[in-house]
Amino acid sequence: MPKTKNIPDNSINKSTMLGVAAICLAVGFFGGVIYSVYKSKPRLTQQAPQAQINQTAPDRSNELDALVKKTAQEPDNVTAWIDLGNLYFDSNQIDKAIWAYQKSLELSPNNPNVLTDMGVMHRRKGQPEEAIKAFDRATSIDPKHEVSRFNKGIVLLHDLNKPQEAIATWEALLKINPFAMAPNGKSVDELITIYKKNLAGQK
């Protein structure tokens, strides 16, 4: 979703999903619809499947080493911790990414983008409840943070099996941006219609 995650920078406005073709961090199918969670600051137009990331990503070990050294020398440098978390995010080092993001949040707790990216990492780790907490914290700080709202709906729908809550979350998103888009190019409004029909068909 329209990283603090984090990836080569063709960044967009972090608070909007309009016109976004963002990184697909976790891809699957439900009723024929692709679903994913977004990084808050996508820097690639499309991300490879997770199993291929290490094969296709450029070697950024020098950059990583430099940031590890920088955070050790400047432990109060919020930007360095975020950049380190982003690199860990991109290389799928989930626990280290969460740790680095937490470090940045200890210094600057009101960053909705970092919270959103940390939520994505919790989802990858198989901790959907922690992901929801992170997304909720992000929207409590910035009620118009669209990426966190979209991601919350995805986790509610596909990880926690709470379709009604997911739909309600996306309906709230549409009140902020009626043109919000999903990563497969469908409008959020269209996804809501699809999932409502799925639910009706199950009754």
Side-chain angles (χ1 to χ4, degrees), residues 58-146:
D59 183 3
R60 302 176 70 184
S61 58
N62 290 338
E63 187 179 355
L64 181 59
D65 290 343
L67 280 170
V68 170
K69 183 178 180 179
K70 188 170 186 177
T71 54
Q73 294 174 339
E74 304 174 27
D76 294 332
N77 188 326
V78 177
T79 300
W81 283 113
I82 294 173
D83 289 343
L84 180 60
N86 291 343
L87 278 179
Y88 283 139
F89 184 109
D90 297 342
S91 58
N92 201 37
Q93 299 184 63
I94 297 171
D95 288 331
K96 289 183 177 180
I98 292 172
W99 168 74
Y101 289 144
Q102 287 174 334
K103 285 289 189 178
S104 77
L105 290 168
E106 289 172 8
L107 298 168
S108 180
N110 295 325
N111 189 322
N113 297 308
V114 171
L115 286 163
T116 298
D117 296 340
M118 188 169 71
V120 174
M121 288 288 90
H122 278 299
R123 190 204 187 201
R124 280 194 189 176
K125 192 176 180 180
Q127 298 176 326
E129 293 86 359
E130 292 301 314
I132 293 293
K133 289 178 184 178
F135 298 145
D136 283 344
R137 283 181 61 192
T139 54
S140 70
I141 294 165
D142 179 4
K144 293 184 178 181
H145 199 273
E146 298 178 31

Side-chain angles (χ1 to χ4, degrees), residues 30 128 153-166 199 202:
F30 180 85
I154 290 295
V155 173
L156 286 168
L157 181 66
H158 296 290
D159 300 296
L160 296 177
N161 193 29
K162 296 180 178 180
Q164 295 287 7
E165 292 184 33
L199 286 175
Q202 294 171 12

Side-chain angles (χ1 to χ4, degrees), residues 19-45:
V20 169
I23 297 172
C24 294
L25 300 174
V27 178
F29 290 86
F30 180 85
V33 179
I34 296 175
Y35 65 88
S36 71
V37 288
Y38 283 97
K39 199 171 186 307
S40 65
K41 185 184 178 184
R43 294 188 284 178
L44 296 177
T45 56

